[in-house]
Amino acid sequence: MNAVEARALTKRYKDVTAVDRLSLTVSEGEFFALLGVNGAGKTTAIKMLTGLTRPTGGDGYIFGHSVTADPRNARALTGVSPQETAVAMKLTVRENLELMCGLYGLDDRSGRAHAIMDKLSLSDVHDKAATALSGGYRRRLSIAMALITGPRVLFLDEPTLGLDVLARRELWQVIEGLRGSVTLILTTHYLEEAEALTDRIGVMSGGRLVAAGSAGELLDRTGAKTFEDAFIKLSGGEA
Ligand SMILES: Nc1ncnc2c1ncn2[C@@H]1O[C@H](COP(=O)(O)OP(=O)(O)OP(=O)(O)O)[C@@H](O)[C@H]1O
Ligand SMILES: [Mg+2]
């Protein structure tokens, strides 16, 4: 069964079609990158697949559960670290994690918080307020909050946004460490990272999925020499 499936998934706002009949499948355990220039529709697609906004057409499925007809079960299998991270700034790392457990009615809050802090190397900062964390650690906390409910699919919307090159490398190691234990779908503007680290890449442009495949397949299809050139061609630019 596919971990994630979109079938003609569409979101129309008044004067813009943010996502236009998006169809794609992601297998269980796969690490999938969704690429596209600003405004291509990546965040809107993720918001629909995670139940944060309702499609105006088509549907999305998480392990077969429709995000429109069966949103509770779909959402129960899903974790998301949004583009604008949603951590409680005044609370400490541990408190943020325990708060998530509370929101989801999970028992053994302290045990769960410890386990996830261990996994994401957050233990050293467990009693720091989120506001005092660097951008890289704040993002790590956001990912830990998304993972603490034990999702089978994790969406990461621009996890490396605004991070310096060292923090970015460290965070990529953390994300790499999740490979296999959860199906991963992420967006990024760092093409070399998507190329090196993910199994398959989808390129969106103007709300539509214009191509999907391995980095090598996208290179072959476009006849480009570098992945950046391939991406620019697929996005409708001159390469
Ligand atoms: N709530 C909204 N109301 C109206 N238009 C919206 C809304 N949310 C997104 N849009 C529009 O939908 C299109 C897609 O936006 P979206 O945020 O999904 O793009 P993105 O690929 O995530 O871009 P970025 O790389 O900048 O994060 C844009 O034209 C955007 O202006
Ligand atoms: Mg976005």
Side-chain angles (χ1 to χ4, degrees):
M1 182 184 290
N2 291 312
V4 179
E5 182 174 1
R7 276 191 218 151
L9 190 65
T10 300
K11 183 75 181 185
R12 219 170 277 118
Y13 291 107
K14 213 182 274 165
D15 47 7
V16 57
T17 303
V19 174
D20 191 4
R21 288 162 287 160
L22 172 70
S23 291
L24 74 90
T25 56
V26 179
S27 309
E28 180 164 18
E30 200 172 13
F31 190 169
F32 188 86
L34 203 50
L35 304 184
V37 298
N38 293 133
K42 307 178 297 294
T43 296
T44 307
I46 288 179
K47 282 186 172 167
M48 289 190 283
L49 290 169
T50 55
L52 293 171
T53 191
R54 220 184 138 76
T56 53
D59 208 346
Y61 303 85
I62 307 293
F63 284 98
H65 298 284
S66 156
V67 299
T68 58
D70 189 9
R72 276 177 70 95
N73 283 316
R75 229 175 298 168
L77 298 171
T78 306
V80 60
S81 172
Q83 186 166 352
E84 315 290 343
T85 60
V87 306
M89 284 299 176
K90 287 188 179 161
L91 299 185
T92 67
V93 167
R94 189 174 42 75
E95 287 166 346
N96 263 289
L97 292 168
E98 292 183 359
L99 175 71
M100 277 306 276
C101 294
L103 290 175
Y104 282 83
L106 303 174
D107 57 5
D108 188 21
R109 296 178 192 185
S110 156
R112 283 177 195 266
H114 273 102
I116 201 76
M117 287 192 293
D118 198 39
K119 192 166 180 181
L120 296 198
S121 307
L122 281 164
S123 303
D124 291 348
V125 295
H126 74 277
D127 60 354
K128 264 199 181 184
T131 183
L133 296 175
S134 68
Y137 273 83
R138 207 174 284 167
R139 185 49 95 156
R140 236 181 250 202
L141 170 58
S142 167
I143 296 172
M145 287 165 71
L147 278 174
I148 202 163
T149 58
R152 291 173 69 190
V153 182
L154 178 64
F155 290 87
L156 302 173
D157 197 357
E158 295 200 38
T160 50
L161 180 70
L163 302 190
D164 69 51
V165 63
L166 292 180
R168 192 145 58 86
R169 284 277 161 89
E170 281 179 17
L171 188 61
W172 272 97
Q173 279 176 5
V174 169
I175 294 169
E176 260 290 292
L178 302 175
R179 180 194 276 283
S181 65
V182 63
T183 302
L184 278 162
I185 297 183
L186 96 159
T187 75
T188 180
H189 289 292
Y190 295 103
L191 302 179
E192 74 282 10
E193 293 176 338
E195 184 184 11
L197 293 165
T198 64
D199 301 317
R200 219 151 51 88
I201 295 168
V203 179
M204 288 185 75
S205 176
R208 307 183 111 143
L209 186 76
V210 292
S214 68
E217 285 166 358
L218 298 184
L219 277 174
D220 287 348
R221 190 175 316 176
T222 54
K225 285 203 184 65
T226 67
F227 185 70
E228 185 166 304
D229 284 347
F231 172 77
I232 291 169
K233 277 191 177 176
L234 290 167
S235 298
E238 300 274 331

